[in-house]
Amino acid sequence: MYITCLDLEGVLVPEIWIAFAKESGIPELKRTTRDEPDYDKLMKWRINILKEHGLGLKEIQETISRIDPLPGAKKFLDELRSFCQVIILSDTFAEFATPLMKKLDWPTIFCNSLEVNENGEITGHKMRCEKSKYTTVKALQSIGYETIASGDSYNDLGMITASKAGFLFRSTEAIKKDYPDLPAYEEYDDLLEAIKKVVLGKE
């Protein structure tokens, strides 16, 4: 039995932090896991910048409310879910993801949580587990699933390389160059066809 594990940001929805960087006028916040492989380091850096500028959860949620899924993402996800179980594995946070899940018709998502004080200031973040995407894929395999995984960033590589089939999607040239053996796609139709070949036994 197959289950497909998808990254969220950059694959199904725009990068939340890039959108917030544009709206807040803080270009440093454009840095993502495409640039920084160490997610814990990246989040601590982001939280410090938010504190410096007096910004909190409310301001980020206002930006998220205006974000729509990437063009074609919902259709892709709907078709994928018609022939395969799907879990979104993301290093985002439940406090960010809910409005986006609503726009995608409530797919299952495993993500993390934020620590927020009574003033709405983000004081920290709590990861669901260590190396959450890789750990989740291995856990799914331990209960009888064959996993397929796709993402665009450094923090997706663990789940991609640990899966029976793994694909890069709209990734960076640097990542594609470092992992030339991983099939890389730019269009949803091509990724869907690649997954379908695996699930329906055409490969």
Side-chain angles (χ1 to χ4, degrees):
M1 186 179 289
Y2 286 98
I3 192 162
T4 297
C5 300
L6 295 175
D7 178 35
L8 178 64
E9 295 177 64
V11 174
L12 297 172
V13 304
E15 294 280 353
I16 291 168
W17 287 97
I18 290 177
F20 185 64
K22 290 176 182 174
E23 288 206 0
S24 65
I26 305 171
E28 300 98 308
L29 289 174
K30 289 183 179 179
R31 190 169 178 79
T32 71
T33 49
R34 286 173 166 227
D35 313 299
E36 173 54 69
D38 187 331
Y39 190 73
D40 188 61
K41 179 180 174 183
L42 178 64
M43 273 308 301
K44 287 176 179 174
W45 183 75
R46 286 167 168 168
I47 289 168
N48 283 334
I49 291 175
L50 292 175
K51 190 171 183 179
E52 284 173 17
H53 290 269
L55 298 170
L57 179 60
K58 178 175 175 284
E59 289 80 11
I60 299 175
Q61 287 178 329
E62 286 172 356
T63 293
I64 292 168
S65 72
R66 294 185 283 273
I67 294 176
D68 288 321
L70 291 166
K74 186 178 179 301
K75 180 183 175 187
F76 160 77
L77 191 58
D78 288 345
E79 189 162 347
L80 178 58
R81 291 165 76 189
S82 75
F83 65 85
C84 186
Q85 295 295 311
V86 178
I87 296 177
I88 296 173
L89 298 184
S90 175
D91 279 339
T92 193
F93 306 96
E95 295 83 357
F96 291 179
T98 300
L100 299 168
M101 294 304 97
K102 183 177 181 181
K103 292 177 180 180
L104 289 169
D105 263 354
W106 301 110
T108 298
I109 182 169
F110 293 175
C111 59
N112 305 305
S113 59
L114 290 169
E115 295 168 354
V116 184
N117 68 18
E118 62 275 8
N119 299 319
E121 178 188 345
I122 299 171
T123 57
H125 65 288
K126 184 174 174 58
M127 301 299 283
R128 184 170 49 81
C129 58
E130 190 176 349
K131 296 181 181 176
S132 60
K133 298 184 183 189
Y134 171 81
T135 303
T136 302
V137 157
K138 298 305 287 184
L140 289 167
Q141 292 167 357
S142 77
I143 57 171
Y145 284 100
E146 294 274 20
T147 60
I148 300 166
S150 183
D152 68 327
S153 298
Y154 283 106
N155 64 334
D156 298 313
L157 293 170
M159 72 171 180
I160 290 172
T161 56
S163 292
K164 180 180 176 68
F167 310 105
L168 294 171
F169 186 71
R170 297 181 181 174
S171 190
T172 66
E173 291 306 315
I175 293 174
K176 287 189 279 189
K177 184 178 178 182
D178 287 346
Y179 293 83
D181 294 337
L182 290 179
Y185 299 108
E186 298 295 319
E187 302 299 330
Y188 289 117
D189 286 348
D190 296 331
L191 178 58
L192 187 71
E193 192 59 32
I195 296 171
K196 194 177 284 187
K197 283 180 181 178
V198 178
V199 174
L200 302 182
K202 294 178 182 177
E203 177 173 284

